[in-house]
Amino acid sequence: TAFCVCFLGVCGGEFSILRSPQSVVFRDGSWPIPGERIPDVAALTMGFSVEEDLPWPGLAVGDLFHRPRATVLVTVKGVDKLPVKGFSYPIENAVPFSLDSVANAIHTLFSEETPVVLQLAPSEERVYMVGKANAVFEDLSVTLRQLRNRLFQDNSILSSLPLNSLSRNNEVDLLFLSELQVLHDIASLLSRHKHLAKDHSPDLYSLELSGLEEVGKRYGEDSQQFKDASQILVDSLQKFADEMFNLYGGNAVVEVVAVKEFNSPLSRKTRSLLQASQVGKENPYNLAYPYNYDYSVIFNIVLWMMIGLALAVIVISYNLWNMDPGYDSIIYRMTNQKIRMD
């Protein structure tokens, strides 16, 4: 089971590490992380391989034999920075991404066990759950009507959360608060089914929050409502991260990515073309590209197979050269005319 929380930010976004176990080592620095490689960071921290090597200094090798047991990725839109605790790295070229590849790897490798694979975007009513363990989260509010009704129940966060300038009578404010309610309910459901956090299969939580973005559009980013919502969000995320981290016994990675807005596919292609021309200028000697991530594996397979075949040819040739004719097969000896006359 493995754990990480991520908030994605567009141009000028920020990728922050809230919590991580000793087996996953992040270095303190200002190295930019490409937005499209954030899923690879999640995969590598969980111990999965990636198609292309990630030359990012922010993530060290760590302990290869002790991987985190849960990963939670939360994408927060509408702000390019959140004052959260932990290491922070600027995001370069923030493009839309998903953890589908990580979810498929977990579902394929641990289909007979009880991994939690939960991907949820409350404001868009998108939910994706696979695996045997996700029956626990069937009662989770996922539609806008369910989210609104959940807020007005007796045990909702409205009874304990300081709203300040936010109003429980405004639809935009309620959408923002309902996303925080989802965070609370996920931790609450998991605390009642702690066996899911103690099994050997990795867990994945991918959440997308856009309520803060709607608050900014409704009141303006200089408004008191937006400032209060930002502070409430930071406090709720830190509490959620601490709760999940403790539920997994400290064996969890919590990451945050704050994104103002995502780059469009068109601007992403334009950037890649510019990068290609820059690489050509920086590499006038036409040097070869770095080796593929699987090169060492393929090299070892070919090397030892060739060594084994060479040894087999030598041993077989030596035995054939020194073969005693007296030990030839009965077919060879019975075709000898002298033996047949005797």
Side-chain angles (χ1 to χ4, degrees):
T1 315
F3 171 67
C4 303
V5 185
C6 299
F7 301 90
L8 236 277
V10 130
C11 312
E14 193 171 66
F15 177 70
S16 303
I17 311 300
L18 294 183
R19 305 292 295 271
S20 65
Q22 294 181 351
S23 60
V24 178
V25 180
F26 287 93
R27 298 190 179 100
D28 188 10
S30 57
W31 302 287
I33 174 71
E36 66 272 13
R37 302 306 303 273
I38 290 177
D40 290 341
V41 175
L44 291 172
T45 56
M46 298 178 72
F48 297 124
S49 60
V50 295
E51 293 183 359
E52 184 180 352
D53 192 18
L54 179 63
W56 182 55
L59 179 62
V61 175
D63 190 346
L64 299 178
F65 299 99
H66 296 87
R67 294 288 86 190
R69 294 180 310 184
T71 299
V72 181
L73 171 65
V74 182
T75 302
V76 175
K77 298 190 294 184
V79 62
D80 55 12
K81 181 181 293 188
L82 288 172
V84 294
K85 300 177 182 178
F87 300 141
S88 296
Y89 310 95
I91 296 177
E92 181 183 42
N93 188 30
V95 295
F97 68 87
S98 72
L99 295 186
D100 290 346
S101 59
V102 182
N104 293 335
I106 293 175
H107 183 60
T108 301
L109 297 174
F110 301 92
S111 59
E112 299 302 322
E113 301 183 40
T114 56
V116 177
V117 179
L118 173 63
Q119 300 186 70
L120 180 64
S123 62
E124 299 181 11
E125 299 187 345
R126 285 192 289 109
V127 60
Y128 172 76
M129 294 187 288
V130 301
K132 301 176 182 178
N134 288 290
V136 172
F137 298 97
E138 287 181 351
D139 296 332
L140 197 65
S141 300
V142 293
T143 66
L144 295 178
R145 174 173 293 184
Q146 290 174 342
L147 293 170
R148 181 184 176 86
N149 294 337
R150 177 69 184 91
L151 273 179
F152 290 97
Q153 295 178 3
D154 294 336
N155 59 345
S156 74
I157 60 174
L158 289 181
S159 59
S160 59
L161 198 66
L163 300 183
N164 298 329
S165 60
L166 299 180
S167 172
R168 62 178 65 199
N169 297 320
N170 189 290
E171 291 297 328
V172 174
D173 297 2
L174 291 176
L175 172 63
F176 168 75
L177 295 170
S178 65
E179 294 181 339
L180 304 184
Q181 182 68 55
V182 171
L183 297 180
H184 175 270
D185 289 345
I186 289 176
S188 178
L189 288 170
L190 188 61
S191 66
R192 296 200 295 268
H193 300 85
K194 293 184 179 179
H195 64 280
L196 297 177
K198 296 180 180 179
D199 58 15
H200 298 290
S201 56
D203 296 345
L204 178 67
Y205 304 84
S206 177
L207 309 173
E208 183 176 320
L209 308 182
S210 58
L212 184 63
E213 181 182 32
E214 297 301 322
V215 171
K217 291 179 180 178
R218 172 66 174 81
Y219 300 105
E221 296 184 6
D222 295 328
S223 65
Q224 188 61 42
Q225 288 88 343
F226 185 81
K227 294 177 182 178
D228 290 342
S230 299
Q231 186 58 52
I232 293 173
L233 176 62
V234 169
D235 295 340
S236 298
L237 289 173
Q238 191 66 59
K239 181 181 178 182
F240 174 67
D242 293 340
E243 288 176 347
M244 297 292 283
F245 188 81
N246 293 330
L247 284 170
Y248 282 95
N251 194 9
V253 181
V254 183
E255 306 167 343
V256 176
V257 186
V259 176
K260 183 71 174 178
E261 61 181 355
F262 286 115
N263 291 344
S264 65
L266 178 60
S267 62
R268 181 183 182 184
K269 291 181 180 179
T270 303
R271 182 179 181 86
S272 64
L273 289 174
L274 292 174
Q275 288 177 336
S277 62
Q278 292 172 358
V279 170
K281 295 178 181 179
E282 294 173 359
N283 186 16
Y285 302 108
N286 195 28
L287 300 178
Y289 291 104
Y291 285 122
N292 184 279
Y293 178 78
D294 297 324
Y295 172 78
S296 60
V297 178
I298 298 174
F299 177 81
N300 276 275
I301 292 175
V302 174
L303 173 65
W304 293 108
M305 182 178 294
M306 295 300 296
I307 291 176
L309 290 175
L311 291 175
V313 170
I314 292 172
V315 172
I316 293 172
S317 300
Y318 176 82
N319 283 277
L320 288 175
W321 184 266
N322 296 279
M323 180 183 295
D324 187 350
Y327 290 106
D328 284 347
S329 68
I330 187 67
I331 298 175
Y332 177 81
R333 286 188 284 126
M334 292 306 294
T335 57
N336 190 297
Q337 294 297 325
K338 184 178 180 181
I339 298 176
R340 189 176 297 175
M341 290 175 62
D342 293 341

